[in-house]
Amino acid sequence: GRGGFRMDWLTTESDTMTLQGELFEARSGREDIRPTIGAPFQVTNTEDESSAGGYALYRWHHKSDESSSWTLQMYYDRFHRDSTNSFFEFSVDTYDVDFQQQFPLADDHQLVWGLGYRINDINFLGSSSDGGFAIGPPVADVTRNLASAFVQDEMTLVDDLLFFTAGVK
């Protein structure tokens, strides 16, 4: 099953907000052959798997005038998967925030810059039934942080016809 929603609204003439989300759940059965460390060096794995998760997103866009605006976006995502035989279980939580602004730098220059920060929290319970041989380590809990920034300048070379963009991230 899967379900979601999206709401957009104008809080003022200059401000637009979006709230969006989704939830899902899935179940399935499977059978496969997996290696083992000892004789007979393989095992037939029959299991039921379930996956579940969802996300929520909030975005605020503010327009100062026809050529200037900024956007703030926050996002959360969760995914979890497990199985009846505990051969493989993991979850991933993602937290993300982004800010972007654009404004004219001169008559023929439009500057865009932004900042972002993301956290991925990964919890991998591995393949406990076979000591991690088939799929990976028995347990791993990892948090990844990623910060980003960029700036770019869009230059008008010929009005409404030719532009040049230079930037760095």
Side-chain angles (χ1 to χ4, degrees), residues 8 21 33 48 76 92 96 98 109 116 151 161:
D8 295 292
I33 297 174
D48 293 323
Y76 170 72
V92 179
D96 188 88
D98 288 296
H109 291 265
V151 63
L161 184 64

Side-chain angles (χ1 to χ4, degrees), residues 1-40:
R2 180 177 295 270
F5 70 94
R6 178 174 171 154
M7 297 184 305
D8 295 292
W9 66 96
L10 293 169
T11 56
T12 68
E13 278 188 26
S14 304
D15 295 297
T16 305
M17 298 200 183
T18 299
L19 183 60
Q20 182 175 331
E22 182 175 280
L23 295 172
F24 73 91
E25 184 174 3
R27 297 185 190 284
S28 63
R30 65 182 273 154
E31 183 174 291
D32 57 38
I33 297 174
R34 300 196 181 179
T36 60
I37 295 173

